[in-house]
Amino acid sequence: MTAPPDDCLVRNEWICGDYLSTRREILGDAVVQHLELTGASVALALLLALPLATAARRWRWAAGPVLGITTLLYTIPALAMFSLLLPVYGLSAALVVAGLVLYSLTLLVRNLLAGLRAVPEETRQAARGLGYGPIRLLLAVELPLALPALLVEAVFEGALRVGPARARGSGG
């Protein structure tokens, strides 16, 4: 009977320090790429979610369609979503970012809308009484007060998107 090899790579162990040490550069590049994809997708989703949530809060009739469309996008399975986006973006990082952005919209829009709706009407009226226009009211009063809900969701989305961002894998 032969003795088992001393190399954990040959033995195919679940945890192998040699694997990490011999592939440090490849794994480091993959981690950086992963963080870039996740960060870009959450940032773009925030840029899209802000006007959607603002429109849904400002015009009540828009809330249903905005939430309905973003929820519909969220229900599409990942494989189908990436298959639909593949002809548009090709096999690239943009494909992954676009898919993750579409998945992030539902939760970001919902929580941002909830945060904007939670701003007391008295606070809005006081700001209007001080001469705040709609954009200044949004930027100086409503968004800072909705920021806790937005930050919680942005952090959650960042953590949630870590898993699907792996779908692309390393390399081009």
Side-chain angles (χ1 to χ4, degrees), residues 54-119:
T54 303
R57 189 206 37 87
R58 185 174 178 122
W59 301 293
R60 286 205 173 273
W61 61 267
V66 165
L67 292 174
I69 289 171
T70 58
T71 301
L72 178 69
L73 290 171
Y74 194 72
T75 63
I76 299 172
L79 188 58
M81 177 72 79
F82 289 122
S83 297
L84 292 171
L85 295 173
L86 187 62
V88 177
Y89 293 102
L91 193 55
S92 66
L95 169 73
V96 177
V97 171
L100 295 176
V101 165
L102 293 176
Y103 281 125
S104 298
L105 282 178
T106 298
L107 301 173
L108 287 172
V109 168
R110 282 186 187 278
N111 278 10
L112 186 52
L113 182 58
L116 290 172
R117 285 180 174 167
V119 175

Side-chain angles (χ1 to χ4, degrees), residues 6-21:
D6 288 336
D7 187 6
C8 66
L9 291 171
V10 175
R11 288 191 314 265
N12 196 19
E13 292 180 359
W14 282 98
I15 299 174
C16 179
D18 290 342
Y19 182 85
L20 297 175
S21 63

